[in-house]
Each structure stands twice: as structure tokens, then as C-alpha cells.
Amino acid sequence: MDTKRLEDIANKKMTRRDALKLAGVGGMGLLVGAGGVGAIMQPKSPATNTATSTGTGAVNGIVPFYGKHQSGIITPMQDFICMGAFDLTATDIADVRKLFQSWTAASARMTEGKGVDDESDNPHLPPVDTGESIGLDPMRMTITFGLGASFFDDRFGLSSKRPAPLVDMPHFNSDDIRKEWEGGDIVVQVCANDPQVAFHAIRNLARIARGKAVLRWVQDGFQRTSASDPAGSTPRNLMGFKDGSNNPKVSDPAAADEIVWAQSSDDPSWMAGGSYMVMRRIRMRIEIWDRSSLDDQESTFGRHRQSGAPLGKTGEFDDLELHRKDSNGNLIVPSTSHVALANMEGKVKILRRGYSYSSGMDPKTGQLDAGLLFVCFNRDPRKQFIPMQQKLAAADQLNEYITHVGSGLFACLPGASEGGYIGDTLF
Amino acid sequence: MDTKRLEDIANKKMTRRDALKLAGVGGMGLLVGAGGVGAIMQPKSPATNTATSTGTGAVNGIVPFYGKHQSGIITPMQDFICMGAFDLTATDIADVRKLFQSWTAASARMTEGKGVDDESDNPHLPPVDTGESIGLDPMRMTITFGLGASFFDDRFGLSSKRPAPLVDMPHFNSDDIRKEWEGGDIVVQVCANDPQVAFHAIRNLARIARGKAVLRWVQDGFQRTSASDPAGSTPRNLMGFKDGSNNPKVSDPAAADEIVWAQSSDDPSWMAGGSYMVMRRIRMRIEIWDRSSLDDQESTFGRHRQSGAPLGKTGEFDDLELHRKDSNGNLIVPSTSHVALANMEGKVKILRRGYSYSSGMDPKTGQLDAGLLFVCFNRDPRKQFIPMQQKLAAADQLNEYITHVGSGLFACLPGASEGGYIGDTLF
């Protein structure tokens, strides 16, 4: 794509017809990427997150890294995720502080579409940045840091600072958590509208951490690309059902404060403006699911597959009426359906931000290793995620088709101001 | 995105200014997916590949499945790949024929953005299609089938039909091929501009194969999305270098015939219009690469990192002059650089169509399992890929940083006409 021509569109030197031609209409076969035009128009200078911002960058442009909150939490979901957990090898808190300072500076640059730092002029040195994202747009990348319970053991003298909501995750019925997908001292969630941009960030953060921290696990994931769904429908999970219809609207600051953000009145105060992230690697028993009837699938979710509507309704966003009965007196939405149990009588909400994953085959079983990289944010997991998951683990019909194989709970730090760094309220 | 408004653009009921607004310019924040407009404009009825077609669909529209050649070979590369190999459990050639007939019909539908078949009205049956691509655009998906050497063993009475170019892949120096990433009776390459659309295809083909074939391995891969690079530069691999600058221009039918397509004058005649695919899963020793100097990296590839130009030149597409020397009499492009060896004195060419892969961590080493899912097509691997790889394996400086851990060679069948099926020239 000729940048000059895109600028011509912006400067109105082209007709509407030319613009459409450029967009591929008329068989010219040129390719305007998602937001190809928008990306050019997007100012490259960083802005600052505000308290009420949802962190929405322009299409494929920059989501500000600095702000009251970390981005990547109430930011509208991007198309891809690359999430990694690190274990610290550093033994001195000063090194941990330095690591977060370096990570902050590099992350702020990467979210602007730059390399981790300026390249040196000395070709006898390794490049400063690994280079695979040179020339690529910022792609709305966000980088979100969190601390696991193990961060607060006795290594760094921080055990008294462990937040009460950062509990040890309880064992749930039907969990089959594998060591290699569990925990970590630090989690880094990278989301972007491009998988290469996201991979680049995790890889360069791992490189910066050399000598201080090592990767423990890495999982990437995807949604359908925005480009595949110009209507912007709710994405479908790998069971074929719409997932997220009922997510709270955290563009409303009051809802975000209630559901997502740790408040200054909560304990500890250094977490004010942060949030607690739950990661669950949920493997789907795809082959078994695919053999179950449409009836079974719909009663398992409590929704219709095609429309996403609650059972007995026609619209995806129609009210979920859990007490409605059919003419025989049976509940229309079964009480053990996923949607009925997760509803928690409407009293408990979490912000879901999950992605599908596909990791080839499980060599042990010869079946696809695919499912949901469940991610959610909540203000206090003791009152939100954990009771909800206890209810689901005990009775959810969906348990027949899924296994939780990975798990993590992390305290996602408050955002940093320019000049500060992620973690500066703690260290 | 409102379909009505996209249709209005198509029908010229909107001004250029409105169209740009809709595309996100002017801060409306609406999202036109890559080819959101193009997709709507793309006729949904299938067309037929012609002998000279490069298979270019409109942006995110339909690439025709039927034609003289299979699509996904000289088709301009999509952003994502999901490749799977199958082993047959069927013991009767009639079942294999039925499998290819079913696969052909389902593939043609899926490339049009439809489910594998019409859904039944009976909710007591499992859905016909798994559903995760409902509502998504066709995303230029191609599905390409090939047969491995093991297909021609004594199970189906086809051993006399094994094509001479479908040799057993020789062992190359520094190969470390793992059983779980090698071979397969059948390969299916799915490429699309969306990972969920591509996954959906492999999964549904596996489901259709139930009782006849089982998955042996599955690997997905990506390039930077087209949207991240409106300028349409050559993509970079995970070593940060541009990859594919020198790929032959197979939009020229004479070049495609010479380099890619088995000809009717070649043996066997049932492969005329087909091609031979090589798959190599090439793991990169990323951590070691990242510690090497820019000098070392550039002399390893024989190109400059930033520009992609041959060493000593400034433009990516400048002539590769392998005999040029500096003032000290040393070759400017080292004779053991990747580009010098792969050049084969300009006499041997292959069509590369590879993708980056990132498969989390290798639990054995704690390092990233990432690299290149190398895919290439050639008319006769005995004269093209194999001598080239022998030369590379013996001397390529790049070998210090890579390991070939997977391998496959497959006879990709000729295309099918509507009413026919993939493989009908053989079975």
C-alpha cells in the first residue's frame, strides 16, 4: 500500500471512488488493512490515560501506557493475546525495582510502535531490539503487569505487604491443574491487534529480564480478528457459542470502580487503582462436545447457539429470566446451565477478558489441545471470582466438556505516571 | 459496523467524506475491518480458478476453491496458517475416496464463509458445523491437500502410483527431526486472514474424517497481519529480518510452470497441475540469536537487518552480486551466508510460503518454542528443495541458530473442477 495515496485520501486529494478502489472495491486487489487509513491518521504522540478512560486507542493506533490504571484491563479487547509468567531469579529487591523500571520504559515505547530503546551505532553489539516489529503499527497494544502470591514470600522482605485478596487459589472440583501452567512470581499480559507485535513484546521483556527473571509459562490466544466481523458481533468461543454477551459495561466509571478497580478504601492502599487478574487455562474436550446434540449444547450454556439469546428468547441481549417456566412447569433456562450459575443472582460480577487458544495436539491423547485462555479482572477475588467458580465447579453442566489445566491469581499494580514506573507504589 | 451503510457506500449513496468517516478517520472510532468494504462487495458466488489465476480474492473475500490448480499454492500469502497432517485408519480405498469427496464439498463451502453443510432442523442431533466461524467473512481462506509417501505403501494398492519426486526426505546435517512432527499420510494446509476461520476448517475436516483418519500433528503460524503494515512491506521473521524478498514472481504463468507446477510431460501424469510441498518446522534458538552482534546477524543472513538490502547495497530488491569484493579482496556477501547459499547461482528456485510460529515454552529447556513453519512448493524436490537444503545444511552460518525439528514432503494434488473432487485424477 502506497502511503502517499493514503495521505492523499486524508488530504482529500482523492475522490470517494478512488478511496473505494483503493480499499479493494473494483477488483484492484489492493489491501487496506484494518484501520489502514485510521492508522496513518492516528497521531503517534503518546497521551495519558485518565481515570475514566477506557483506554480506547484509535483503530490500530496507540493505547496510552501511562495513566491512573494500567491499560489492558478495561481497554476494549484486542484481537490477540500473548501472556507470560516469570519467576524471579534476582535475590535483591533493588534488582526487582530496576527490572520494573526497565520494563516500564520499554513497554511505554513498544506500545507506541517503537523498539525497546534507540539502537546503538555500534554493529559489534547485539541489536537493542529484536526487530520483528520494525515498521509495524502500534496495533492498540497494551502491556499489563501483575504479581503472584509467591512474589510475597520471604525473598524480598515483602511478605507483610501481601494483599489479603491475593489468596492462594483454592482447589475447585474437577480442576486438573498442571504445574507447568500454574502461578508465577509475575505475570505479563500483552494484548494487541497483531500476534507478531504481541510476541515481540513478551520476547523483549524476557530479554530485558535476563539475569533477573526467567519465563515460567507462555500462552498465546486469539479472537476472530475484527476484520473478519465488520458488524462487530460478540465473538464466539471454540464451542461455537457467543462468549461475553453479559460482560459488565465498564465504560461506566461507577461500574468499573465497583467491579474492577481496587479502591483507596480497600486494603492495601498501594493497590488502589489496580485490579486482581485470574488466569485459567481451560481445555475443551472438543471431540466430545462435537458429538453432543444441539439441544444438549444449548441447555449446557443456557443460550441459543445461533443468536446467543437466553433460552426461550430471541435476542442476544434479551433479559435473562432465570425463573421463567415452560407450560410443564420446568425452568426454561436450566438451573445447572452455565449462564444460570455464572449469573449469581445478578449480585456478583467479574470483567471477563478471555481468548481462545489452539496449541496443536496433545501428544498424550492425540486430541486437539484447544480451549479458552480465561482471563478476568475483579476488585476482590474472594468476593467475586472464587465464589462464582465454586458454584460453577460444583454444578455447571459445562464441566462435562472442559478441564481447568492452568491457574493463576495476580495483583495487577496500579498504573504509573510518566516519570514513574509500574510498581512504584509498592517498592 | 452497519451493513446497510456499507451497501450505501457501494451504491454510492454516501460521499467520500462519509466513507472516510466510516473508516475511522475523523475519530468516529468505527472499525472497518481489513476489507470490511471489500468483503461486502465481494460476490459470494464461487468462481473458478483459471490456469493463470494467482487465486487472488478480493480483500478478505473468497478465493475460489475449484480450478485447474489447488489454491493456497501460488495464492498471495494470507496472514495465518493452520496446518495439520492426518494418518488414515481406513483400510479400503473406497473409504479414502469418500473422505476426499466429503472434504472437497466441505472445503468449497468453508472457503465461501459457509458451514461445512446445511444444518438440520433436528435439535436432537449434533450440529453439522462446529459453529465458531458463524458470521465471519471468508477471509481469503484456502485449503490445500497433499499426500505423503506413506500414503503409497501397500494398504490401498497404490504403491505403483507413488510419484518419483515424492522421495523419502533425506537426512540433512544438523537435522533433529522429532517423530511427532514428521510425515503423515495426508497434509492439509489451511491459510486465511483470520486464525479462528483457519482453525475452524482443520477442526471440521478432522471431524468429517472420524473413523477414516486421525490427526497426526497440527501447527499454526502467523505473519504480521496485513493491517499492521499498510505499506505492504516484506514480512519479518522472528529473527527480525525480512523474509521472502527474493521469492519468485509466480504471478507470471511461465515462472509458475517452471518452478511450481508439475507438468503433463512430467511423471506421473495424474499430478499435472499439482505441486510438491515441503514442510520444515524450524525452531530458532532465539536466546542465542539475541545475544549475537548486528554484524554477525547481518553476515549470517547476507542482508542488512533494517532495509533488507543485500550486504553493501541499500535497497531491499537491489541485485544480489555474490562475487563483489571489498577493497581488501573479501567477498562482501559471505559465501556461507544464508542468502548466498540459497541463491544456488540463480539456477534453482522454490516458492517459499512460510509462517512464524510461537508454541509457548519448551518445558525441557525453559526456552521459547518459536521459529519458522517453513513451507515451500516446487515442481520436483529432487531438483529444487533437496539440493538447496543439502547445500544449506552443509555450510549455512544460520545453522548455528536454528534446528529443523519437523519435516514432511507431500504431493499436492491437482485442483478439482466443480462436480469433481480433490484426488479424482488418482483414485
Side-chain angles (χ1 to χ4, degrees):
Chain A
M1 170 64 59
D2 184 340
T3 302
K4 175 68 170 55
R5 298 177 74 182
L6 288 167
E7 287 169 350
D8 283 347
I9 299 179
N11 298 329
K12 306 188 182 176
K13 288 181 189 157
M14 295 184 98
T15 63
R16 184 196 54 82
R17 185 182 170 82
D18 288 341
L20 287 173
K21 263 188 175 172
L22 199 60
V25 178
M28 285 183 64
L30 288 171
L31 203 146
V32 172
V37 175
I40 293 289
M41 300 302 297
Q42 167 71 8
K44 293 253 173 175
S45 63
T48 296
N49 250 329
T50 63
T52 56
S53 166
T54 56
T56 312
V59 182
N60 292 337
I62 297 169
V63 178
F65 180 77
Y66 292 109
K68 178 180 174 188
H69 305 296
Q70 289 196 76
S71 58
I73 298 176
I74 62 168
T75 308
M77 282 183 73
Q78 299 96 326
D79 295 346
F80 297 93
I81 189 171
C82 188
M83 184 181 271
F86 289 85
D87 283 334
L88 286 160
T89 52
T91 51
D92 186 336
I93 184 68
D95 285 334
V96 177
R97 191 180 299 119
K98 267 185 228 154
L99 175 62
F100 274 88
Q101 288 167 338
S102 307
W103 272 354
T104 298
S107 297
R109 285 183 57 106
M110 288 193 287
T111 56
E112 292 170 27
K114 299 174 184 164
V116 290
D117 206 343
D118 293 330
E119 291 295 334
S120 84
D121 292 330
N122 184 351
H124 304 313
L125 294 176
V128 172
D129 185 277
T130 60
E132 67 268 35
S133 69
I134 293 173
L136 303 186
D137 282 350
M139 305 308 286
R140 294 189 60 236
M141 182 165 67
T142 56
I143 305 178
T144 313
F145 296 89
L147 306 174
S150 59
F151 186 89
F152 297 93
D153 61 17
D154 49 14
R155 283 172 291 171
F156 308 109
L158 291 171
S159 52
S160 66
K161 301 245 188 169
R162 177 172 169 179
L166 189 64
V167 295
D168 292 325
M169 188 76 92
H171 174 85
F172 301 103
N173 282 346
S174 80
D175 271 9
D176 184 17
I177 307 295
R178 318 284 165 89
K179 268 265 165 290
E180 65 268 30
W181 292 112
E182 190 175 26
D185 292 339
I186 301 168
V187 77
V188 183
Q189 171 196 264
V190 181
C191 298
N193 279 343
D194 186 277
Q196 186 147 330
V197 167
F199 174 84
H200 169 262
I202 284 283
R203 174 205 192 163
N204 280 271
L205 294 175
R207 193 173 176 232
I208 289 168
R210 198 181 293 154
K212 299 193 180 75
V214 294
L215 281 167
R216 180 186 175 91
W217 51 259
V218 176
Q219 179 66 58
D220 48 25
F222 57 92
Q223 292 191 89
R224 88 288 181 269
T225 57
S226 318
S228 71
D229 180 25
S233 319
T234 307
R236 291 176 187 272
N237 61 27
L238 296 185
M239 289 175 159
F241 279 68
K242 296 189 180 200
D243 204 336
S245 309
N246 222 355
N247 230 3
K249 305 290 172 292
V250 288
S251 51
D252 168 14
D257 278 344
E258 180 61 30
I259 299 166
V260 177
W261 300 126
Q263 303 293 312
S264 51
S265 55
D266 297 344
D267 187 46
S269 61
W270 60 262
M271 268 294 288
S275 185
Y276 295 88
M277 174 209 283
V278 176
M279 178 289 288
R280 306 285 288 181
R281 189 176 191 267
I282 303 176
R283 180 153 170 204
M284 294 174 177
R285 297 195 189 107
I286 282 189
E287 290 82 356
I288 298 174
W289 177 258
D290 285 352
R291 292 180 205 201
S292 62
S293 72
L294 180 62
D295 268 352
D296 280 349
Q297 294 187 358
E298 293 191 335
S299 87
T300 296
F301 270 105
R303 290 185 178 272
H304 292 292
R305 185 174 91 141
Q306 183 75 26
S307 64
L311 289 185
K313 301 286 184 87
T314 53
E316 177 186 353
F317 302 106
D318 286 354
D319 276 348
L320 187 63
E321 294 176 290
L322 292 174
H323 302 290
R324 255 181 95 206
K325 295 185 175 172
D326 63 18
S327 52
N328 296 323
N330 298 318
L331 287 171
I332 294 175
V333 177
S335 59
T336 56
S337 65
H338 184 70
V339 75
L341 290 165
N343 185 255
M344 303 288 283
E345 286 90 43
K347 288 175 194 147
V348 177
K349 291 186 188 302
I350 56 173
L351 177 64
R352 301 164 64 144
R353 214 173 180 289
Y355 290 83
S356 294
Y357 80 84
S358 160
S359 296
M361 304 232 328
D362 181 340
K364 284 182 208 151
T365 62
Q367 300 195 314
L368 290 168
D369 182 7
L372 176 66
L373 179 62
F374 173 94
V375 178
C376 81
F377 293 91
N378 50 181
R379 181 175 165 186
D380 189 338
R382 295 170 300 177
K383 300 176 187 163
Q384 295 168 268
F385 173 77
I386 290 171
M388 187 182 293
Q389 182 55 25
Q390 272 161 340
K391 208 164 164 183
L392 288 169
D396 189 358
Q397 287 187 46
L398 200 53
N399 294 336
E400 196 179 330
Y401 305 104
I402 60 175
T403 312
H404 289 235
V405 297
S407 180
L409 175 61
F410 302 95
C412 288
L413 297 149
S417 321
E418 262 183 281
Y421 63 95
I422 301 289
D424 58 8
T425 58
L426 171 63
F427 304 133
Chain B
M1 173 61 62
D2 185 340
T3 303
K4 175 69 170 52
R5 299 176 74 183
L6 287 168
E7 286 167 351
D8 284 347
I9 299 178
N11 297 329
K12 306 188 183 176
K13 289 180 190 160
M14 295 184 98
T15 62
R16 183 195 55 83
R17 186 182 170 80
D18 288 340
L20 288 174
K21 264 188 174 172
L22 199 60
V25 178
M28 286 183 61
L30 288 172
L31 202 147
V32 171
V37 176
I40 293 289
M41 298 304 297
Q42 169 69 8
K44 293 254 175 177
S45 62
T48 295
N49 251 328
T50 63
T52 57
S53 167
T54 56
T56 312
V59 182
N60 291 338
I62 297 169
V63 177
F65 180 77
Y66 292 107
K68 178 180 173 187
H69 306 295
Q70 288 195 78
S71 58
I73 298 176
I74 61 169
T75 308
M77 282 182 74
Q78 299 95 326
D79 295 346
F80 298 92
I81 190 170
C82 189
M83 185 182 272
F86 290 86
D87 284 334
L88 287 160
T89 52
T91 50
D92 186 335
I93 184 68
D95 284 334
V96 177
R97 191 181 298 120
K98 268 186 228 154
L99 175 61
F100 274 88
Q101 288 165 339
S102 307
W103 272 354
T104 298
S107 297
R109 285 182 58 107
M110 289 193 285
T111 56
E112 291 169 29
K114 299 175 185 163
V116 291
D117 207 344
D118 293 330
E119 291 295 334
S120 86
D121 293 328
N122 185 349
H124 305 312
L125 294 176
V128 172
D129 184 277
T130 60
E132 68 268 36
S133 68
I134 293 173
L136 303 186
D137 283 351
M139 304 308 286
R140 293 189 61 235
M141 183 164 67
T142 55
I143 304 177
T144 313
F145 296 89
L147 305 174
S150 58
F151 186 89
F152 296 93
D153 62 16
D154 49 14
R155 283 173 291 170
F156 308 109
L158 290 171
S159 52
S160 66
K161 301 245 189 169
R162 176 173 170 179
L166 189 64
V167 295
D168 292 326
M169 189 76 93
H171 174 85
F172 300 103
N173 281 346
S174 78
D175 272 8
D176 183 16
I177 306 295
R178 318 284 165 87
K179 269 265 166 291
E180 65 267 31
W181 292 112
E182 190 176 25
D185 291 340
I186 300 168
V187 77
V188 183
Q189 172 196 264
V190 181
C191 298
N193 280 345
D194 186 277
Q196 187 147 329
V197 166
F199 175 84
H200 168 263
I202 284 284
R203 174 204 192 162
N204 280 272
L205 294 174
R207 192 172 176 234
I208 289 169
R210 201 181 289 155
K212 300 193 179 76
V214 294
L215 280 167
R216 180 185 176 92
W217 52 259
V218 176
Q219 179 67 57
D220 48 25
F222 56 92
Q223 293 190 91
R224 88 289 181 268
T225 58
S226 317
S228 71
D229 180 26
S233 319
T234 307
R236 292 177 187 272
N237 60 28
L238 297 185
M239 290 175 159
F241 278 68
K242 295 190 179 198
D243 204 335
S245 309
N246 222 354
N247 231 2
K249 305 289 172 295
V250 289
S251 50
D252 169 13
D257 279 343
E258 180 62 29
I259 299 165
V260 177
W261 301 126
Q263 303 293 310
S264 52
S265 55
D266 297 344
D267 188 43
S269 61
W270 61 262
M271 268 294 288
S275 186
Y276 296 88
M277 173 209 282
V278 176
M279 178 286 289
R280 307 283 288 181
R281 189 176 191 267
I282 303 176
R283 179 151 170 207
M284 293 174 178
R285 297 195 189 107
I286 282 188
E287 289 82 357
I288 298 174
W289 177 257
D290 284 351
R291 292 181 205 200
S292 61
S293 71
L294 180 61
D295 267 353
D296 279 350
Q297 294 187 358
E298 294 193 333
S299 89
T300 297
F301 270 106
R303 290 185 178 273
H304 291 292
R305 186 174 91 141
Q306 183 76 25
S307 64
L311 290 184
K313 300 288 183 87
T314 53
E316 178 186 353
F317 301 106
D318 286 355
D319 276 347
L320 187 63
E321 294 177 290
L322 292 174
H323 302 291
R324 255 179 97 205
K325 295 184 176 173
D326 64 18
S327 53
N328 296 322
N330 298 319
L331 285 172
I332 294 175
V333 178
S335 59
T336 55
S337 65
H338 184 69
V339 74
L341 289 164
N343 184 257
M344 303 289 282
E345 285 91 42
K347 288 176 193 148
V348 177
K349 291 185 188 305
I350 56 175
L351 177 64
R352 300 164 65 143
R353 214 172 180 288
Y355 290 82
S356 293
Y357 79 85
S358 160
S359 296
M361 303 232 328
D362 180 341
K364 283 183 210 149
T365 61
Q367 300 195 315
L368 290 168
D369 182 7
L372 176 66
L373 179 61
F374 173 93
V375 177
C376 81
F377 292 93
N378 49 181
R379 179 176 166 186
D380 188 339
R382 296 171 299 177
K383 299 176 186 163
Q384 295 167 269
F385 172 78
I386 290 172
M388 187 182 291
Q389 182 56 24
Q390 273 161 339
K391 208 164 164 184
L392 288 169
D396 189 358
Q397 287 186 43
L398 199 53
N399 294 335
E400 196 178 330
Y401 305 103
I402 61 175
T403 313
H404 289 236
V405 297
S407 180
L409 174 61
F410 301 95
C412 289
L413 296 148
S417 320
E418 262 183 280
Y421 63 95
I422 300 291
D424 58 7
T425 58
L426 171 63
F427 305 134

